């Protein structure tokens, strides 16, 4: 969302001489929640905004001017889009497409322009911009910690032009070599594995319990049941134990990118 709202909240808090923690205490919220709103990473609920107005003596300004811009993502993914901005650690498994947070502009455009039913060029542009905006969290030097587990099938299936595939693969290599992410490839030789049913994202936070997100066939679900989240974490850990180590995975990625360039 545009950060005018968050900037204004910060200005009012500072004018009142309050720290984020002091405002959080008065408004019965967490400090990290206040920080996310001020940074533009979270839209407060109507009740949050009401309590902030009361704490800062700002009438109903924060309640009346809640951001309403609709993001260019599927309805079922909107909550995940907000959660990933708040996560301190993300572990993801992908087997059809490279994770959205790691997609290059050309790869994202190729994937999003091939959806069914088809969308207009303007709508495709909106979705590409939103996807690239999501990836800006990787501009932070440390958080979130991001681990990516890729099924080898994802590397071998050319879902777009060979040069775009090569560029996308080397984008991951660059991020991993810079130490920003960790990448592991789950080889074909493993055969049946516990994540074969679909994609999985695990998220950890400073101010709430961990969550899991699963997706497939145009639907997605956020799981907050502790037992379900633990089961999915165990599945991820089991699959990760069969994956290639980081150095071997990077070597495979480089070799695969080279093959795509050769074919191109």
């Amino acid at each position: 969302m545009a950060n005018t709202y968050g900037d204004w909240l910060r200005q009012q808090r500072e004018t009142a001489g309050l720290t984020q923690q002091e405002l959080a205490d008065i408004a019965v919220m967490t400090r990290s929640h206040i920080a996310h709103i001020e940074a533009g990473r979270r839209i407060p609920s109507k009740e949050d905004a009401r309590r902030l107005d009361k704490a800062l003596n700002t009438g109903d300004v924060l309640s009346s001017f809640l951001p309403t811009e609709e993001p260019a993502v599927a309805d079922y993914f909107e909550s995940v889009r907000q959660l990933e901005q708040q996560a301190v650690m993300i572990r993801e498994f992908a087997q059809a497409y490279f994770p959205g947070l790691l997609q290059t502009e050309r790869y994202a455009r190729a994937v999003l322009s091939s959806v069914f039913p088809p969308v207009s060029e303007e709508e495709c542009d909106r979705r590409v911009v939103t996807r690239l905006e999501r990836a800006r969290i990787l501009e932070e030097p440390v958080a979130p910690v991001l681990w990516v587990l890729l099924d080898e099938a994802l590397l071998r299936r050319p879902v777009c032009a060979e040069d775009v595939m090569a560029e996308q693969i080397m984008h991951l290599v660059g991020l991993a070599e810079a130490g920003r992410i960790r990448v592991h490839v789950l080889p074909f030789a493993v055969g049946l594995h516990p994540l074969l049913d679909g994609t999985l994202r695990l998220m950890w936070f400073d101010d709430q319990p961990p969550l899991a997100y699963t997706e497939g066939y145009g639907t997605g679900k956020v799981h907050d049941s502790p037992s379900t989240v633990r089961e999915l974490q165990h599945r991820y850990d089991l699959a990760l134990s069969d994956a290639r180590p980081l150095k071997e995975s990077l070597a495979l990625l480089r070799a695969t990118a080279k093959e795509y360039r050769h074919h191109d």
Side-chain angles (χ1 to χ4, degrees):
M1 68 180 179
N3 200 28
T4 303
Y5 187 95
D7 287 341
W8 195 84
L9 171 60
R10 176 179 52 78
Q11 291 167 9
Q12 297 306 307
R13 174 180 59 76
E14 292 176 349
T15 298
L18 299 173
T19 65
Q20 289 180 340
Q21 185 60 62
E22 288 169 341
L23 176 57
D25 291 342
I26 297 170
V28 195
M29 299 166 66
T30 64
R31 186 208 61 78
S32 60
H33 193 165
I34 300 293
H36 286 311
I37 296 171
E38 290 186 357
R41 293 189 295 266
R42 180 183 288 184
I43 298 174
S45 66
K46 290 182 180 180
E47 178 59 23
D48 289 339
R50 185 192 66 77
R51 289 200 301 267
L52 288 170
D53 271 328
K54 183 177 180 181
L56 292 170
N57 226 6
T58 50
D60 62 355
V61 176
L62 290 164
S63 302
S64 299
F65 294 96
L66 282 170
T68 57
E69 180 181 359
E70 290 296 326
V73 297
D75 291 343
Y76 62 80
F77 191 76
E78 171 54 15
S79 62
V80 183
R81 185 186 71 86
Q82 294 186 35
L83 288 166
E84 72 186 9
Q85 303 296 312
Q86 305 160 28
V88 296
M89 176 180 284
I90 299 173
R91 295 187 180 183
E92 187 152 1
F93 168 72
Q95 62 179 338
Y97 302 105
F98 287 92
L101 288 175
L102 300 174
Q103 290 181 7
T104 65
E105 180 175 356
R106 292 207 300 162
Y107 183 89
R109 188 172 299 281
V111 170
L112 292 170
S113 63
S114 64
V115 298
F116 183 84
V119 297
S120 67
E121 184 174 348
E122 179 181 347
E123 177 61 19
C124 182
D125 287 343
R126 288 184 66 239
R127 295 183 184 187
V128 170
V129 169
T130 298
R131 187 157 294 187
L132 296 178
E133 281 292 319
R134 288 172 50 211
R136 292 183 62 186
I137 61 174
L138 295 178
E139 294 175 7
E140 297 295 328
V142 178
V145 175
L146 180 57
W147 288 19
V148 184
L149 178 60
L150 304 176
D151 194 299
E152 188 175 352
L154 183 153
L155 303 179
R156 304 300 185 187
R157 182 179 297 109
V159 299
C160 52
E162 282 83 358
D163 65 316
V164 177
M165 288 291 294
E167 177 187 67
Q168 174 63 66
I169 292 170
M170 290 308 298
H171 176 60
L172 265 70
V173 172
L175 288 170
E177 288 180 334
R180 186 59 189 84
I181 68 173
R182 290 187 66 90
V183 181
H184 297 275
V185 177
L186 195 60
F188 278 135
V190 171
L192 185 66
H193 61 77
L195 297 180
L196 200 56
D197 292 342
T199 62
L200 171 65
R201 173 180 295 189
L202 302 168
M203 293 175 284
W204 286 261
F205 309 88
D206 277 335
D207 58 351
Q208 62 180 320
L211 299 172
Y213 172 71
T214 55
E215 184 176 294
Y217 275 135
T219 62
K221 179 177 176 59
V222 175
H223 303 271
D224 57 7
S225 163
S227 60
T228 300
V229 173
R230 280 195 302 272
E231 178 188 340
L232 292 171
Q233 288 173 347
H234 293 159
R235 286 191 179 207
Y236 189 97
D237 291 342
L238 185 58
L240 182 62
S241 70
D242 284 328
R244 293 176 182 267
L246 176 62
K247 290 184 178 180
E248 289 184 19
S249 294
L250 291 179
L252 176 60
L253 288 170
R254 292 190 200 96
T256 306
K258 186 176 180 180
E259 290 174 12
Y260 278 118
R261 289 197 181 108
H262 176 72
H263 290 303
D264 182 57

